[in-house]
Amino acid sequence: MGDPHGVGVVGLGFISRAYLHTLANHPTVRVVAVADLDPARADAAAATIPGAEAVAVERLLHHPDVATVLNLTIPAAHAEISGAAIDAGRNVYVEKPLTVAFPQARSLIDRATAAGVRVGCAPDTVLGTGTQTARAAIDGGLIGRPFSASAVMVTPGHERWHPNPDFYYVPGGGPLMDMGPYYISALVHLLGPVRAVVGAASRLRDSRVIGSGPRSGQRIPVEVPTHVSGVLEHAGGALSTLTTTFDGVATTAAPIEVQGEEGTLAVPDPNTFDGEVRHLALDGPGWRTLQPRAGYVAASRGVGLIDLVHADELRPPRASGAVALHVLDIMTALLRSAEEGRRVELTTTVDRPAPVPLTPTEDWLSLPRPSTDGAGTLVGAAAARSAPARRCPGRHRMGAPADQGALTARWRVRVGEGPGPPGSPSPGSPRHWGGTSRSAAR
């Protein structure tokens, strides 16, 4: 039983509140330092966390008690802050996406491997009971062989509610890069890695009007596609169709549906941790709601970092840098496919993360402290990095040496202002799945 794992938080914008709510009182971790472009915001956050101090970013990265840097800056700063943390010998857990450009992300993972530190990345929502119960149902054979899935995200755009939405509409933003990680990560958990994609994209308007806050009424430019659709070819043979848009109003489609030879699953919003998983069997009487059978119960943002802290050689982090790199590969390939008008094969693959056994709230909120070496470093951390993926011809193997390249971004620290181990018991055969019957009508 070691001391709490020291965490330093860089970026104290909107999403930081959810992370700090989870981490501030968890026995596994201790938030020891916070940093922000706005010193007053850092001071205010530190005042709410016992024992935390507000410091400059450079000081945080080299703070003797910080073992992991939680990077909640805007996407454009992800590569630079995460890279600096890795160079300082710190583990990193970063908000999605891993970086805005795929070469940066690959270099980041390679540098972490060489340094013997871990990289984790949001979203961790897919570790909740929603996606994990759906995965357990698929793995347990409830719908037979899965062959197809659809994922749909429709919203009129974040500028309607966010007071500073600029970064949603510059490179690294847009509906695919912002919301796609939730849906694509869920599809990887459910159906496995992707080998190729075909994409199409459009931009409905060249500018947007901020709808709330002190800048309400201000017009901002749009530099990225605001509607992206695509087809994902999974390595296992299934095909997933994906739609992400900032141009629509709403949809009645399930956030994710998975089709199998013997049934269909309606999967809840992967931007949330829980929600109803509904099942319709071939020749069945109607839709029924499955009881939660897997996942962290009533989880919240930050559970992925806790999961990373407790990872080891046998069970790599579930919200890992390897998964995030593959997801970014998928997203950038979709955009490249849309631009070039062709099918694009991926350069990465990844193993499906270990499933999460059904873990009651009181259990994951009171996980015992991991063993450390007395300096805050996890015992075995060097050997417990994100698991390397299976080798596939022509694909980058996670952790393989590569030219690190030079980070070209300047020190522009901007705050983020926007939003069971392998061998776990089988979820059982379909007849063992409890549920509530529902009519076939939604």
Side-chain angles (χ1 to χ4, degrees):
M1 189 78 70
D3 294 329
H5 187 81
V7 174
V9 183
V10 180
L12 296 165
F14 188 86
I15 198 64
S16 67
R17 304 171 199 169
Y19 279 91
L20 292 176
H21 176 76
T22 302
L23 301 176
N25 297 305
H26 198 282
T28 290
V29 299
R30 181 169 69 92
V31 178
V32 299
V34 296
D36 193 277
L37 185 65
D38 180 355
R41 182 148 50 180
D43 289 338
T48 67
I49 306 168
E53 57 179 323
V55 298
V57 173
E58 185 73 14
R59 163 66 176 157
L60 184 146
L61 296 177
H62 296 89
H63 194 293
D65 295 331
V66 169
T68 294
V69 172
L70 174 58
N71 182 358
L72 302 181
T73 58
I74 61 170
H78 284 182
E80 190 166 12
I81 298 300
S82 296
I86 290 168
D87 291 344
R90 270 52 179 176
N91 306 304
V92 173
Y93 189 92
V94 59
E95 247 301 318
K96 49 77 185 168
L98 184 58
T99 64
V100 297
F102 180 74
Q104 291 177 325
R106 178 179 292 196
S107 173
L108 203 68
I109 296 299
D110 290 336
R111 289 163 65 187
T113 300
V117 297
R118 297 174 180 172
V119 175
C121 184
D124 55 6
T125 49
V126 295
L127 306 183
T129 54
T131 299
Q132 290 295 315
T133 291
R135 173 179 174 169
I138 294 169
D139 292 352
L142 186 65
I143 63 171
R145 182 172 55 179
F147 64 89
S148 174
S150 60
V152 181
M153 191 290 298
V154 177
T155 177
H158 296 334
E159 76 279 1
R160 293 168 57 86
W161 60 269
H162 200 291
N164 295 292
D166 310 66
F167 66 93
Y168 289 117
Y169 298 103
V170 298
L176 179 64
M177 295 294 284
D178 176 52
M179 300 299 291
Y182 296 108
Y183 293 81
I184 297 172
S185 295
L187 291 172
V188 170
H189 275 260
L190 296 172
L191 299 174
V194 172
R195 64 189 176 201
V197 302
V198 176
S202 63
R203 183 173 62 194
L204 188 65
R205 300 188 294 278
D206 291 332
S207 64
R208 300 267 174 151
V209 178
I210 299 175
S212 66
R215 299 172 62 198
S216 181
Q218 180 179 335
R219 190 171 293 274
I220 58 174
V222 176
E223 303 175 16
V224 294
T226 51
H227 182 99
V228 183
S229 297
V231 177
L232 282 55
E233 301 176 20
H234 291 269
L239 298 178
S240 291
T241 59
L242 173 71
T243 298
T244 63
T245 185
F246 283 167
D247 295 331
V249 175
T251 180
T252 59
I256 296 176
E257 280 191 353
V258 182
Q259 306 288 341
E261 291 180 305
E262 299 174 11
T264 297
L265 283 179
V267 184
D269 185 351
N271 191 16
T272 63
F273 286 88
D274 44 27
E276 289 187 348
V277 178
R278 297 188 300 129
H279 170 238
L280 180 64
L282 180 67
D283 300 324
W287 289 93
R288 65 188 184 116
T289 299
L290 304 181
Q291 297 300 315
R293 294 293 299 268
Y296 293 117
V297 177
S300 55
R301 278 170 169 80
V303 71
L305 190 155
I306 295 168
D307 182 273
L308 177 144
V309 168
H310 285 270
D312 56 29
E313 292 87 346
L314 298 178
R315 201 276 293 163
R318 295 180 173 96
S320 69
V323 172
L325 181 65
H326 186 59
V327 169
L328 184 62
D329 194 10
I330 293 168
M331 295 191 297
T332 54
L334 281 167
L335 294 173
R336 188 165 70 255
S337 173
E339 183 177 353
E340 299 176 1
R342 65 180 181 89
R343 176 179 177 271
V344 174
E345 294 188 357
L346 301 188
T347 60
T348 66
T349 188
V350 71
D351 290 324
R352 292 170 82 199
V356 181
L358 188 64
T359 307
T361 308
E362 59 272 19
D363 287 353
W364 71 261
L365 280 177
S366 59
L367 286 169
R369 299 168 186 167
S371 297
T372 66
D373 62 2
T377 302
L378 292 170
V379 172
R385 297 184 293 267
S386 300
R390 295 184 298 269
R391 285 188 180 274
C392 292
R395 299 189 184 184
H396 177 70
R397 181 175 182 267
M398 307 302 176
D403 181 11
Q404 293 183 8
L407 289 178
T408 58
R410 299 175 59 190
W411 259 120
R412 291 177 297 117
V413 181
R414 297 282 306 280
V415 298
E417 297 174 343
S424 298
S426 167
S429 63
R431 68 177 181 275
H432 291 140
W433 281 82
T436 305
S437 296
R438 296 186 60 163
S439 123
R442 289 183 180 170

